[in-house]
Amino acid sequence: MGGAGAAEQRLSIDAGGRTEFGAGLVTAIPEFVAQAGDQRALVVTDAGLLAVGIVDRVTAALTRAGMEHLVHADIGANPSTDEVDRGAEVARSFGRAAVVAVGGGSPLDAAKAISLLAGNPGATAAGIGGEADPAAGWPLIAVPTTSGTGAETNGFGVIEDACARRKVYIGHSSVRPRVAVLDPELTIGLPAHVTAATGIDALVHGVESLASRGANVVSAAYAARAVTVLGHWLPAVHRDGRDLEARAQVMLGAHLAGRALTISGLGLVHGIGHALTAHTGTPHGVALAAVLDRVLEFNAPAAAAAFEETARALRVAPSDVDWTGAALAAVREIGGTLGVARPLRALGATADLLPRIAESAVADPVTGNNPRAVTVADVLAILRSVF
Ligand SMILES: [Fe+2]
């Protein structure tokens, strides 16, 4: 485990955040809206989920309950400050409501920022981060439709600043979801490549959380169990996406990994991943997979205990008690099964872009929790090795 020894730690444990899990639970969303104190709902989602009918299941439940609602589906794959500002305008003109965020990480992250801005009339996405004490956002109910980001576990969204071409964090404790509604039936129709990319994201959350400088006994408990569940069930769900048991297990594993990362923070895989996405538009999980192997190798000298926990969580037998090698091989094998890793040039990166990606990665606050100190030159070497 990363972080300080127990005797040096001051722990404050707040299990924090209500989770409701169950197949078919989407029908109970109106109850959760009412429990949050509202009788109206603004559904924030993306056009793809609207097109495949997932959003219809949510709106059908709201209609049956006689609950007034509006669907706002103008959220793209990497939501920007402009999209968040537009969403906040829609929310303000619709009027006070609970925000029901339906989607993968992008709609969930955008919805948090929209909820916060809706509670702060006149505020903008670019300006809200600088406010010392913003007013509370509107209540948020998170309904994940992928098993990966863990965005339902915290009140912060990763949003792209369209001008600066970098990721910014927008959030507040008031927009941490009142309820995370985990319904594995919503993930049954996910295409295999999305299952793989979001699954590798969840696995990386567990692995990076175990090695994070911010890890503590609680995050490590969540992360170790997440790695065990995901290591076992990701290959199964990738083989057969209609296997509801596998979908349920992976959804729970991703949720545990999200709870872990919310406590511990992550590390350099995410630092580089965010930068790659900002500069090339590569989906988050695909960006992580491109550098995962090399970053773990780079971190190995500073993360022996965490890698031993990773190997034990993955139930692999160490060769010559080489836990680090065993962990690397096991993570590599799962990544290989999911088939997500690509060279950077296949993701649209050019040689000229690599120094800028490296600088963004080192500047990203998420990199601050990496177990090994990292320079721009270190990142550049990693990027060039997978170019
Ligand atoms: Fe992630």
Side-chain angles (χ1 to χ4, degrees):
M1 183 177 78
E8 291 85 54
Q9 288 188 21
R10 159 77 174 79
L11 286 175
S12 172
I13 298 170
D14 172 359
R18 174 179 169 197
T19 300
E20 296 287 342
F21 170 86
L25 200 60
V26 74
T27 55
I29 286 173
E31 291 167 38
F32 302 137
V33 170
Q35 287 162 8
D38 283 278
Q39 290 301 324
R40 307 170 79 239
L42 175 68
V43 179
V44 174
T45 187
D46 65 38
L49 288 165
L50 200 56
V52 299
I54 297 273
V55 178
D56 290 346
R57 300 199 213 173
V58 176
T59 53
L62 292 167
T63 301
R64 264 196 308 277
M67 217 169 246
E68 188 186 354
H69 57 272
L70 176 72
V71 175
H72 176 68
D74 175 26
I75 306 296
N78 294 302
S80 67
T81 44
D82 291 346
E83 285 170 53
V84 167
D85 285 331
R86 285 202 300 273
E89 274 314 301
V90 169
R92 288 166 185 148
S93 60
F94 179 58
R96 169 72 195 203
V99 174
V100 178
V102 180
S106 302
L108 264 53
D109 279 3
K112 294 171 194 172
I114 290 169
S115 299
L116 182 58
L117 291 177
N120 287 269
T124 63
I128 192 81
E131 300 220 3
D133 192 17
W138 290 359
L140 184 78
I141 290 161
V143 188
T145 60
T146 63
S147 297
T149 66
E152 74 279 7
T153 60
N154 61 67
F156 286 81
V158 185
I159 304 295
E160 188 159 323
D161 183 332
C163 300
R165 280 206 159 237
R166 65 191 181 92
K167 297 289 190 183
V168 293
Y169 297 83
I170 299 178
H172 189 249
S173 56
S174 63
V175 295
R176 182 169 76 179
R178 301 291 178 92
V179 188
V181 182
L182 304 184
D183 180 349
E185 287 182 356
L186 297 183
T187 65
I188 282 285
L190 273 183
H193 71 278
V194 178
T195 302
T198 51
I200 205 86
D201 184 26
L203 182 68
V204 173
H205 292 161
V207 172
E208 286 215 287
S209 178
L210 282 172
S212 168
R213 288 171 189 256
N216 66 31
V217 65
V218 183
S219 68
Y222 282 135
R225 185 65 191 166
V227 167
T228 296
V229 171
L230 292 166
H232 184 79
W233 288 98
L234 277 177
V237 83
H238 190 244
R239 260 195 317 277
D240 178 9
R242 306 208 68 80
D243 178 344
L244 186 61
E245 178 62 19
R247 288 290 189 191
Q249 293 279 0
V250 168
M251 183 165 248
L252 288 168
H255 183 66
L256 291 180
R259 283 183 171 259
L261 82 88
T262 294
I263 296 168
S264 66
L266 294 166
L268 183 59
V269 183
H270 271 76
I272 298 179
H274 290 162
L276 261 176
T277 297
H279 286 274
T280 66
T282 302
H284 178 61
V286 177
L288 301 178
V291 297
L292 172 61
D293 207 31
R294 294 304 166 96
V295 174
L296 295 185
E297 280 174 15
F298 172 82
N299 282 341
F307 283 18
E308 177 174 338
E309 281 206 68
T310 302
R312 288 184 190 276
L314 289 170
R315 311 279 196 258
V316 289
S319 51
D320 304 326
V321 205
D322 173 14
W323 288 105
T324 295
L328 283 171
V331 172
R332 205 174 278 143
E333 188 185 326
I334 298 166
T337 304
L338 299 178
V340 196
R342 303 267 179 285
L344 299 189
R345 69 176 79 229
L347 303 176
T350 58
D352 294 354
L353 210 49
L354 299 187
R356 273 186 284 163
I357 293 171
E359 281 168 28
S360 307
V362 172
D364 192 309
V366 78
T367 302
N369 275 315
N370 196 61
R372 183 172 169 188
V374 55
T375 65
V376 172
D378 293 331
V379 177
L380 206 46
I382 290 168
L383 292 173
R384 288 189 173 134
S385 74
V386 292
F387 182 65

